[in-house]
Amino acid sequence: MVVPLVIFDMDGTLLACETLEVIAKEIGVVKEVKEITDAAMNGKLDFEEAVKMRLNLLRGIGVEKIVEIAHELPLMQGAQRTINVLKKKGFKIGIITGGFELVAEVIADKLGVDFFVANKLEVVGGVLTGEFKLNVNGNKDLLLRNAALHWGAKITVAVGDGANDIPMLKEADLGIGFNGKPVVVAAANKNIQNDLRNILPIIDPIVQKFLNKVK
């Protein structure tokens, strides 16, 4: 049996927002956080350095508040329908995100995806310390390969919007830029805008092409 696997980025792809910017609004530092996010997404700032800078600004926020915000984050247009259709077609669905487990767990559960990989925030006394553990940092290609091995996937699709998604977009059999930054548009096999459902007619032909090869 041929198992196809689709990996999504989270912020700006499955979510119609950048989570850290939403959290930043709670303490009035959204402008500073957004500037750092934009620089990282366009490949102008190292991802780990960008995480450090933003979390330093968000230090002291309570975990309960973050989980509350996670439940209220807006899904990207077409996200739920896209996941539902892919699952019915037999795809395994994953999230590989430079975002954080506290949020990714909520979103994965809401959308019904099979697994997620995310970074981990350090929490002491119920609040963020500003420290973190990076599970995802320039290695989305390796994480995609590991996921394909785990699920026995013979064909892979990756969807993302930012510079840190480029390794997995290039690693996948089909790399789709979604509302991609210029560096992503240049790297992706295909590029779409606005509604995630637009990936569905792009995915079907490559899966069928692969199936014809293995017959």
Side-chain angles (χ1 to χ4, degrees), residues 97-130:
T97 175
F100 297 96
E101 290 180 351
L102 283 171
V103 177
E105 184 174 10
V106 172
I107 303 307
D109 183 63
K110 180 182 290 188
L111 288 171
V113 306
D114 295 293
F115 69 97
F116 68 88
V117 184
N119 293 320
K120 189 173 180 64
L121 294 167
E122 181 180 85
V123 178
V124 176
V127 302
L128 302 191
T129 67

Side-chain angles (χ1 to χ4, degrees), residues 2-7 91-92 141 143-149 151-159 168-176 189 203 206-207 210:
V2 176
V3 178
L5 172 70
V6 182
I7 300 293
F91 284 77
K92 292 297 180 182
D141 51 348
L143 294 171
L144 184 147
R145 287 199 298 272
N146 289 343
L149 286 171
W151 294 100
K154 302 300 183 183
I155 184 167
T156 57
V157 179
V159 187
M168 75 172 182
L169 295 181
K170 289 185 173 181
E171 175 67 23
D173 295 296
L174 173 63
I176 302 175
N189 301 122
I203 290 175
I206 192 169
V207 173
F210 179 84

Side-chain angles (χ1 to χ4, degrees), residues 23 26-27 58-69 102 121 123-129:
I23 296 171
E26 294 293 316
I27 55 174
L58 302 177
R59 186 169 48 196
I61 290 183
V63 171
E64 289 185 2
K65 186 62 179 178
I66 293 175
V67 173
E68 177 186 323
I69 290 171
L102 283 171
L121 294 167
V123 178
V124 176
V127 302
L128 302 191
T129 67

Side-chain angles (χ1 to χ4, degrees), residues 186-201:
N189 301 122
K190 299 286 185 178
N191 288 281
I192 64 167
Q193 302 287 324
N194 304 323
D195 192 320
L196 268 179
R197 287 171 292 188
N198 292 333
I199 75 172
L200 295 173

